[in-house]
Amino acid sequence: MGLLKAKGVVYKPVEEVDLGPDSQELYVRANVKAPRMAGFLVKVFAWFLESRIFGPFLLYILIRNNLVHKLVSNAELEESPVFVPLHQFEELNEPEVKLIDSDLSPPQRVQQAIECLPLSSPTPLDASTHSFRRWTIMDYSRAYTSGKTTPYAVAKRLIAAIRRSSTPPMDMAFFINYDVEDILRQATESTQRHQRGEPISCLDGVPVAIKDEIDCTPYPTTGGTKWLHKFRPCKADAYCVMCLRACGAILIGKTNMHELGAGTSGINPHYGATRNPYDAGKISGGSSSGSAAVVASGLCPVSLGVDGGGSVRMPAALCGVVGFKPTFGRIPHAGVLPLNWTVGMVGVLAGTIEDAFIVYAALNAQFPLNESSNTQPPKLYFPLLSASSPISNIKLARYGETIEVTIPEIEAMRLAHYVTIGTESSTSLSSYLEKLNFSQLGWDARVALSVYGSFNATEYVKAQKLRNRVMQFHKKIFTKADVIVTPTVGVTAYPIFNDAMETGELDYINGAALVRYQIAGNFLGLPTVTVPVGYDKKGLPIGLQFIGKPWSEPTLIHMAFAMQVDISHYISSMV
């Protein structure tokens, strides 16, 4: 391999990199060199990659041609590695916020969030279509309180809708697992609480779906596979699920996902391709595909996902809903599949930012010590969306080559993140894969695991050095700006082809376009939110993303709310 060795980039010291509007820093765009593969072709490719003879050479060529060796593996840089993107808490002095008592229970935190909301919410983005409307958490709560309906009646209709969506001719593949008896049991208990006038919170009786990467009894946690739950049984609820259950939410089942989170399309050869409610012939995005699609379809107002590389925000944008990922370490990760340790975070998908905020409030535990360090947990502030005057003086920076700011090395960051998430995923699964017959894996997942397993310790450490480097860039930018604004994804939802249904697909070109703007949130541990802002010429949703300083969730929620209000006013003027 020495003759083929790609020369690595020599990165200049961070302090010498110009981040100003007139910067001459080279802006490297995604240079993906890999054809789309599915069906028999992806099988052949997987066989070659797994071959002891051809595999190492083919992997080397694949990784080199896609600039991993140039920008990561063989790069020269002086920064020390940062292995965990955990940020010390700093008082940001955000406007229009409320400090929340760290000892409050999940229902009490939810009530605090409700008190921060305006008395009336803006018209939802889908309100121009009179035959369809997404119901919010407060819609459910008011309907139950007024006696117009009951959680049990809602559950019965919901079960029927899930069945219709899961069978021909729809076959939307939203769920991997749901249990009718368990749903009705929860709904019965919630109905009884409402009848006694004793609902636990506004979430009592509200249907919520859970990505099948998160433990939620009585279901196995499959990670989108047919085998993982056999090695790792689900014994209890994840912490985030416990919080929702404590608020009285009805947990309606486990949503479909890209197998092992190892892709961006949401096409799962075992459980079906999760279809986009805006166009059933298009992808919903991954890996939290089902969680985005059930909200977009109106089956439930909120769902939980896990975001390791845009896996909440990407499908949210493609399906026209809100996707919210807090700062790394803000929400306890206990009970989530350990597919990666330093980039994955629980996130919320919702029809409105208010609903995302309510669920975020429920999940926001102030546990004694941070899971990833010995630092004390950060203070918790909620945004006062009910404030009479909107927040102002928020400084925005646009991502990329702009007149305001230059953020270099975005492509290097994407590839360093790929090395990181791939190494962590293959390491976390290694003990299981040793016992596994690879025929139980989807073909696209087999290819992904082959690539992931090819990264070595040197490459992983180089990636963490790049993490430190790009983290310093963003810290400098955040001394001048409060929020970075980007497109959420580089393309709208693309077609589902029949040849991918049984094997999955490899589409690295579209995949790179989908994740390009997502990576800072995961690799650097920054809070991010995507909100729907319109549609393309084919009627497919478009999302806009806000990236904030560590622990600046209130500012991001304020920004998303302001954008939602503006879009709603525009729609109202058009109907």
Side-chain angles (χ1 to χ4, degrees):
M1 298 297 182
L3 295 175
L4 299 173
K5 184 175 181 179
K7 185 177 180 180
V9 169
V10 179
Y11 291 101
K12 68 176 68 172
V14 167
E15 58 271 16
E16 295 180 12
V17 177
D18 181 7
L19 303 181
D22 299 319
S23 173
Q24 299 300 309
E25 292 297 323
L26 181 64
Y27 188 78
V28 179
R29 300 185 183 276
N31 185 33
V32 179
K33 295 181 178 179
R36 178 191 176 275
M37 286 185 265
F40 179 71
L41 189 59
V42 76
K43 293 182 180 181
V44 172
F45 189 60
W47 287 329
F48 274 108
L49 284 182
E50 293 166 3
S51 164
R52 293 184 178 180
I53 299 174
F54 300 106
F57 178 77
L58 187 57
L59 282 165
Y60 184 88
I61 296 299
L62 178 67
I63 293 171
R64 187 198 66 176
N65 286 353
N66 286 283
L67 300 183
V68 176
H69 289 163
K70 178 179 180 180
L71 298 181
V72 183
S73 308
N74 302 328
E76 296 181 26
L77 63 170
E78 64 181 31
E79 287 77 23
S80 59
V82 169
F83 292 99
V84 180
L86 188 64
H87 302 270
Q88 293 290 333
F89 179 75
E90 296 181 10
E91 290 283 1
L92 299 176
N93 298 315
E94 297 169 283
E96 300 296 349
V97 298
K98 177 181 180 180
L99 179 63
I100 303 302
D101 188 338
S102 62
D103 295 328
L104 296 182
S105 67
Q108 290 172 327
R109 292 195 298 272
V110 165
Q111 182 57 37
Q112 290 290 314
I114 294 298
E115 294 174 5
C116 294
L117 298 181
L119 294 178
S120 61
S121 297
T123 306
L125 187 61
D126 51 66
S128 60
T129 305
H130 297 292
S131 61
F132 173 75
R133 179 175 181 270
R134 297 192 189 112
W135 294 95
T136 68
I137 289 172
M138 295 311 297
D139 288 335
Y140 282 98
S141 182
R142 284 189 286 263
Y144 296 153
T145 301
S146 66
K148 290 183 179 179
T149 190
T150 67
Y152 187 84
V154 166
K156 293 285 285 187
R157 295 184 64 181
L158 175 63
I159 291 165
I162 292 174
R163 283 173 172 162
R164 287 197 301 272
S165 71
S166 303
T167 55
M170 298 180 74
D171 282 328
M172 299 298 284
F174 292 154
F175 288 89
I176 285 178
N177 210 339
Y178 69 97
D179 186 309
V180 171
E181 290 186 4
D182 186 65
I183 295 171
L184 293 178
R185 176 191 60 77
Q186 295 177 77
T188 298
E189 293 173 356
S190 178
T191 298
Q192 292 170 348
R193 289 192 294 270
H194 279 281
Q195 289 173 342
R196 294 195 302 267
E198 300 174 352
I200 300 173
S201 75
C202 70
L203 280 168
D204 203 333
V206 176
V208 179
I210 308 296
K211 184 182 182 182
D212 208 0
E213 193 176 337
I214 303 170
D215 287 343
C216 177
T217 58
Y219 305 102
T221 303
T222 73
T225 73
K226 287 288 189 178
W227 54 270
L228 186 54
H229 58 288
K230 299 175 184 177
F231 295 110
R232 183 194 173 277
C234 174
K235 299 179 180 178
D237 287 338
Y239 185 88
C240 54
V241 172
M242 289 172 56
C243 291
L244 292 175
R245 207 183 288 276
C247 292
I250 298 177
L251 307 174
I252 61 173
K254 306 297 287 294
T255 55
N256 200 358
M257 60 177 286
H258 205 107
E259 185 175 8
L260 296 174
T264 58
S265 68
I267 298 173
N268 187 309
H270 311 297
Y271 301 103
T274 302
R275 298 181 178 274
N276 195 312
Y278 281 87
D279 182 341
K282 301 293 196 301
I283 66 163
S284 59
S287 62
S288 304
S289 49
S291 290
V294 292
V295 173
S297 68
L299 288 177
C300 57
V302 284
S303 64
L304 294 189
V306 180
D307 195 315
S311 290
V312 163
R313 293 158 288 143
M314 185 193 315
L318 295 181
C319 291
V321 299
V322 172
F324 181 50
K325 186 204 74 62
T327 306
F328 182 86
R330 173 63 88 178
I331 295 175
H333 213 63
V336 179
L337 283 180
L339 295 179
N340 45 73
W341 300 286
T342 72
V343 295
M345 289 150 264
V346 173
V348 183
L349 300 103
T352 66
I353 189 61
E354 298 97 315
D355 283 356
F357 172 33
I358 291 169
V359 170
Y360 164 71
L363 307 184
N364 221 302
Q366 293 289 294
F367 39 99
L369 290 175
N370 192 283
E371 292 174 330
S372 304
S373 76
N374 293 323
T375 61
Q376 291 297 319
K379 293 180 182 179
L380 178 61
Y381 289 95
F382 283 175
L384 293 170
L385 300 182
S386 57
S388 57
S389 59
I391 60 171
S392 59
N393 299 321
I394 299 297
K395 297 178 181 178
L396 305 179
R398 288 189 292 166
Y399 216 41
E401 296 171 297
T402 78
I403 59 171
E404 294 95 353
V405 66
T406 298
I407 304 180
E409 302 172 21
I410 295 176
E411 184 64 5
M413 177 172 64
R414 182 182 74 82
L415 295 174
H417 169 271
Y418 185 70
V419 170
T420 301
I421 195 171
T423 303
E424 293 180 2
S425 293
S426 60
T427 303
S428 69
L429 294 168
S430 59
S431 61
Y432 306 139
L433 296 175
E434 291 172 358
K435 311 169 188 175
L436 184 70
N437 183 333
F438 264 41
S439 64
Q440 297 182 60
L441 283 165
W443 289 94
D444 62 331
R446 288 172 65 166
V447 170
L449 289 173
S450 292
V451 177
Y452 292 170
S454 70
F455 298 129
N456 58 41
T458 299
E459 289 168 319
Y460 183 79
V461 172
K462 288 279 184 72
Q464 308 323 300
K465 288 187 171 188
L466 275 164
R467 193 198 309 248
N468 183 356
R469 181 179 178 84
V470 182
M471 191 176 287
Q472 291 184 60
F473 290 155
H474 282 71
K475 285 181 179 178
K476 287 185 177 180
I477 290 166
F478 282 131
T479 63
K480 299 179 179 179
D482 301 298
V483 175
I484 299 172
V485 185
T486 79
T488 307
V489 292
V491 293
T492 52
Y494 56 84
I496 298 171
F497 295 103
N498 289 334
D499 62 352
M501 296 300 289
E502 294 185 1
T503 62
E505 70 174 4
L506 303 176
D507 190 342
Y508 291 116
I509 293 176
N510 272 322
L514 286 172
V515 305
R516 183 169 178 79
Y517 302 106
Q518 308 285 306
I519 299 307
N522 301 104
F523 200 44
L524 310 183
L526 301 174
T528 55
V529 63
T530 177
V531 291
V533 292
Y535 307 94
D536 69 6
K537 293 180 181 179
K538 297 180 180 178
L540 297 170
I542 297 171
L544 185 68
Q545 179 177 235
F546 300 109
I547 304 171
K549 300 175 182 179
W551 317 115
S552 68
E553 288 86 357
T555 294
L556 292 185
I557 295 172
H558 269 300
M559 291 294 300
F561 182 71
M563 179 61 67
Q564 183 175 272
V565 170
D566 287 344
I567 295 296
S568 298
H569 287 165
Y570 174 76
I571 290 176
S572 298
S573 69
M574 299 293 289
V575 296

